[in-house]
Amino acid sequence: MRPLLLQMTAFGPYAGSTTLDFRCLGESALFLIHGPTGGGKTSILDAVCFALFGEPTTKDRAPRGLRSGFADPALATEVTLEFALGNVRWRVKRVA
């Protein structure tokens, strides 16, 4: 499974809509997610797991607890993940 595009809205530390475009990595099999403590790295992994499985990466985090505390109350918490599995592209959208 190769992630292509991840869009998070009102998710974790991301109050608005944030898009990560993994396509810019080219054909690299490995990539690094890095940044300062509290920068949202684990939230990116939580978003991928939430999109695929409907759950965050650990049992310590309830799906309802993934909502950004900074988000506008009118904004829905959602994650969209586009990924490739072989030559087939998939798009999954989850709303918390």
Side-chain angles (χ1 to χ4, degrees), residues 29-87:
L30 297 173
F31 59 89
L32 173 68
I33 299 172
H34 69 92
T37 300
K41 301 177 298 292
T42 301
S43 294
I44 293 169
L45 301 175
D46 279 334
V48 170
C49 287
F50 179 68
L52 292 172
F53 307 110
E55 297 180 357
T57 54
T58 66
K59 298 291 183 197
D60 297 345
R61 301 169 187 231
R64 299 187 85 201
L66 296 175
R67 178 170 174 78
S68 173
F70 307 107
D72 182 327
L75 200 58
T77 302
E78 58 186 47
V79 174
T80 302
L81 175 66
E82 291 184 30
F83 64 95
L85 190 56
N87 291 329

